[in-house]
Amino acid sequence: MSSLRTPAGGRIDRADSLSFTFDGRRYQAFVGDTLASALLANGVHLMGRSFKYHRPRGVLGAGAEEPNALVTVTRDDARRTPNLRATQVELYDGLVAESQNRWPSLSFDIGAINNLLSPFLPAGFYNKTFMWPRSAWHKVWEPPIRAAAGLGVAPTLPDPDRYAQQFAHCDVLVIGAGAAGLAAALTAASAGARVIVCDEQAEMGGALLSERDATIDGQPAVAWVAASVARLAAMPRVRLLPRTTAFGYFPHNNIGLSERITEHLADPAPSLPRERMWQVRAREVVIATGAIERPLLFPGNDLPGVMLASAARTYLNRYGVRVGTRAVVAAGCDAAFAAALDLAAAGVQIAAIADVRAAGAADGPALAAARAVGLPIRACSTVLAATGALRVAAVRLGVVAANGNVSPGDTIACDVVLVSGGYTPSVHLHSQSRGKLAFDEALGAFVPAAPAERSRSAGHCRGINGLGAALEDGACAGAAAALATGHTATTPRFVATALDAGIEGTPGALPQLASVIPPAKAFVDFQNDVTTRDLALARREGFESIEHIKRYTTTGMATDQGKTSGLNALGFVAAESARKIAEVGLTTYRMPYTPVTFGAFAGFARGDQFDPVRKTPSHDWTIARGGVFEDVGMWKRTRFFPVGTEDMHAAVDRECLGVRNGVGMFDASTLGKIEVVGKDAAEFLNRFYVNNWANLAPGRARYGILLRDDGFVYDDGVIGRLAADRFHVTTTTGGAARVFGMMEDYIQTEWTDLSVWITSTTEQWAVVAVQGPKAREVLAKLVTGIDLSPTALPHMAIAHGEICGVPLMLFRVSFSGELGFEVNVPADYGTHVWEAIHAAGQEFGITVYGTEAMHVLRAEKGYIIVGQDTDGTMTPDDAGVAWAIGKTKHDFIGKRGLERPALKAKGRKQLVGLATVDPQVVLEEGAQLVATANRPAPYPMIGYVTSAYHSAALGRSIALAAIADGRARMGETLYVAMPGGDIPVKVVSPVFYDPEGARINV
Amino acid sequence: MLIIDCPYCGPRPEPEFTHGGEAHIARPADPSQATDQQWLEFLYLRKNTRGVFAERWRHARGCGRFFNALRDTTTDQFLATYRAGQKPPAVPVGGER
């Protein structure tokens, strides 16, 4: 193993080695390594190319904040996961990882020419440079720009893995299992509260896992973590969720967690889901998400080898990896000295520690310790630049004089630069929950203020520093959360010893460089390649609001959401505009905290499980006969039944003629059905529908129209009176639920004086429509107990009897214009009766037809379909059904609305028929109508086509259209404006077939 | 996902409910007597309150009942739910927190 690996220590299992490949090269590592720690142990810092300029990039951090080291991990062609942070990829034996956004190779990348072109690619370059000619953007400029800028490539094969979803409830959800989180969990759980603890890492312990000398209650911090996790795991009311990221904080303490279950396994059991999405509803939440160190802004700050001091410390203490052999430390924060101390003790040469803080910054405990062991500290220093090609090779320091002037200092060779600009509390979840934030001047960062939900932040994520203080803060938060759920806790006391380095820093440019104009070019947002110059440019171009600067420069808009860049961008903009950071404000934190896979969101809702399907009684019968389905809401309805090689046109023609000339059958079970019962049922329907229901005799039915109170048509359907106090209401297929809801609304809240009860019976009845001149003959073979003769059962009559031994409610109704019946039987017998009717109809040549033929047949008769021929702005008069309105009624829903002047004005669009001059031309539904041919633009549209079909019975095309003053235009020639030229049409009656209605009344 | 306290069933998750707009807008007893302006106000004019707002909900995928709620539109916190026909209960100004 490489000399960069320490001889002992860390959380890796040195007895268990493994191998993996990165860009095709094989490397050795230990169980417990991440991809980043293993590459560093092998001396590899170059892990990616940047998004825009293709600059070589190394790993900056050691956790979720990583902006640079994004890799693709591939198991097979379908399991290729792009854009994973190498710092969070747990190694397994045989793992295959590749770098991204480079060609042909990571070390030689053609796209790096963008770096030389960078003066021409400033913020918003695509808005300025490529705007002319206008059409060129999509065709010429955008494709190569998109191809060159980029991240990993998603697989094109379907995802073969399963993703689980689970709901959970608890008293206290603890997010983050570092010092504060574990203390909170122990306290709340000991009080008896039901606790869930989630942590994004494989091992719980947070920053404690990176500590070398810290102790808690007399034992090393990592031993205390192990003991605490074991204690929690043994408690029956505690659930521990490692590898689980709390990615979103939703209203009413609903927290989204994403658990990675098999990502770290070399050979996962097929029974395991890959990930699990948790929706936790917590009575109280303790946010203990820690803090993230910030980089410093200086030229070359993005070179491989420049990394956060805390990350170097983590790689050393947790993974046993020295990140280099000779380090320069740029200390903008006391914590940098702690990292220098640990690395020096591990044998890394500390070439220099440049204390880049403003003069007068207080000495912290880590600085004092570093000074005591004689580390080479240079006060009043600054970093002028880091230099190198694919790895940092040297740092040019600057010397700051007492008057603030900077003069060039030494150039120091090194292979790693540790930077620390202070710590940013991870307030993401608090902010997502709409909790307020306050700027802490001493800390130089935002901390949580008043929460908006039942939550509290604890430890580093609210700016509390020091191990003992974090433990105490966590315990207090855990006790308070437990108490809020009715559990009295004893707050435990912890005895902690640690170096407790300071975490205060300075966001933005180094103090000594802040006044340099123009600003030195340094990277602020590493993932989106946003530099200090871009931010300055945005300000010069007039952007003052941080929200505008963010969008113009894209700072903070990458998938890392600006975890390392956000405060530096704010600090830089604040200094440039001579404002305080608190005045510049903060952009909004949005979920997810780290990217969540689509699979986890989709969960089980894939394929057949994607959406519920409603099936009609003829569903399987249709499949067996090759019928073609269409989706109507959740229903699967048969559109047509092709015979042999028929296309839809031929099949529909045949089906229509079959009904007109003989008999057809149609599955109408999807019709919405509502039973309205009660002594006031008729009065209720009188108030609800436009029609008069009081004079409808039992055993008779009527076509009903429903309006909203604005006077516009809302639904329609046949309503039958089964008894004095009982009605069978049918609705449109799509309108059933909303009509039922509207009925409930009026019954419950407006007309509480009525004694009426409604029940949805859509699923109770199977309905077979039998239509055509021979319909009676077919049913006569099967129906008993009903006299089917025209005198006994006239049009719009209802009778009860039996069919095939099954109770039958028979409606004599027609939506085809032919003699028609609708056979209603209990749904469970639907298939049986359907097949029986089909068999009985064979001697009459019965035709099974679908929704397409049904549409043609009703259009030939001018019967409207609400939602197709009406659009929510049509009155009954517009739709030509004003005859249905009960004229003597004092009120019904919509009556007052119809009296509004606009609804009675001239020029309203009215439904009429259209006959194309060329009978073979079928119009397009939605096409616009104009009054004159060859007119200059602009010209007014006077209407539009709502329905258009070829009518086999008439041997020509037919159409319905809504046209201004349509009924006054009968016989006029209008024009349908189409891209290929005008289509002349004649305005005709909407009833094309059998206008006298003779065929119905036989 | 909100938790909504149905006055008939108790607290249930939001997907069980449908939102019904502003509460306490009664349909005029005799619409034929309403002026065009009154009818316009009844049909269309709604408050867009920032803060505590009385609104209708229906436990559509539960008991099916309509009820009213006081919700703070700035925080999404419910201050009270109550049955249709009841007056809104008094709530402390600014809500619970």
Side-chain angles (χ1 to χ4, degrees), chain A residues 779-789 792-793 798-806 808-810:
Chain A
L779 289 181
K781 289 176 68 180
L782 301 171
V783 171
T784 54
I786 298 176
D787 180 353
L788 296 176
S789 68
L793 191 70
I798 311 165
H800 288 81
E802 277 194 359
I803 183 168
C804 314
V806 173
L808 164 67
M809 179 167 68
L810 186 65

Side-chain angles (χ1 to χ4, degrees), chain A residues 318-409:
Chain A
R318 181 167 173 186
Y319 299 104
V321 177
R322 304 181 190 96
V323 295
T325 56
R326 184 177 156 88
V328 169
V329 181
C333 168
D334 190 47
F337 299 100
L341 280 165
D342 284 3
L343 266 67
V348 178
Q349 187 186 353
I350 305 296
I353 305 177
D355 189 345
V356 300
R357 296 178 295 178
D363 282 8
L367 169 58
R371 192 178 281 139
V373 299
L375 291 183
I377 299 167
R378 301 179 181 214
C380 301
S381 288
T382 194
V383 178
L384 294 177
T387 55
L390 296 176
R391 171 92 182 255
V392 66
V395 169
R396 280 209 315 277
L397 294 182
V399 179
V400 183
N403 62 4
N405 287 347
V406 177
S407 52

